[in-house]
Amino acid sequence: MRIAALLVALIVVCHHAAFAGDVATAQSVIRAQEQAFVRDDAAAAYSYAAPSIKEIFPAPDIFMSMVQNGYAPVYRHKSFEFGESKTDGGWIAQRVHIVDANGEAWEALYTLEQQGDGSYKITGCSLLKAGQSV
């Protein structure tokens, strides 16, 4: 009986460690893209986009223009802080609390998918003003 309990505990600890590692990896991808936006480095920012995003925006400059025009709080902000995250297999959803350049609060929900090579790429970002309902 003790061995079974020990095995269950070990599985829970390993699962939690894998979850934490995947979330940390996803956050590093989001942060790297955010820093590429700060530097106006379209090629670097684009490199973190999933293939499905690259199908819609087939070049770094087109992708960057979309972000500048449609996601201004992500592109330029005063603060960018990670909130809660959830995982489901090879998918991660990560909330980010943003204060834009004008001091307005926003909530971003990033989704990432694990690629065949084990890396995570950003599959989408939904953006709402803080307090706004879906």
Side-chain angles (χ1 to χ4, degrees):
M1 188 67 151
R2 283 190 163 158
I3 292 175
L6 182 60
L7 286 174
V8 169
L10 185 59
I11 289 169
V12 169
V13 168
C14 288
H15 176 74
H16 179 71
F19 170 80
D22 288 347
V23 168
T25 299
Q27 288 177 352
S28 71
V29 169
I30 295 167
R31 180 67 70 192
Q33 187 179 65
E34 179 257 344
Q35 289 299 301
F37 291 144
V38 168
R39 296 186 314 272
D40 285 318
D41 187 343
Y46 189 67
S47 73
Y48 300 104
S52 59
I53 299 298
K54 290 180 177 181
E55 286 178 17
I56 300 167
F57 306 100
D61 58 328
I62 296 169
F63 174 76
M64 191 69 124
S65 178
M66 176 275 299
V67 172
Q68 291 167 338
N69 294 314
Y71 292 84
V74 171
Y75 178 65
R76 292 290 186 258
H77 49 269
K78 290 181 180 178
S79 71
F80 192 94
E81 298 178 14
F82 293 112
E84 95 176 30
S85 56
K86 293 183 180 180
T87 66
D88 184 12
W91 288 87
I92 295 179
Q94 175 66 59
R95 290 196 181 278
V96 179
H97 309 290
I98 300 171
V99 175
D100 70 15
N102 298 319
E104 301 262 352
W106 296 82
E107 280 290 319
L109 177 63
Y110 280 82
T111 55
L112 298 93
E113 181 180 22
Q114 192 168 30
Q115 306 301 297
D117 65 1
S119 68
Y120 279 92
K121 298 288 184 181
I122 298 168
T123 58
C125 178
S126 301
L127 189 62
L128 289 173
K129 271 197 170 180
Q132 186 178 21
S133 61
V134 177

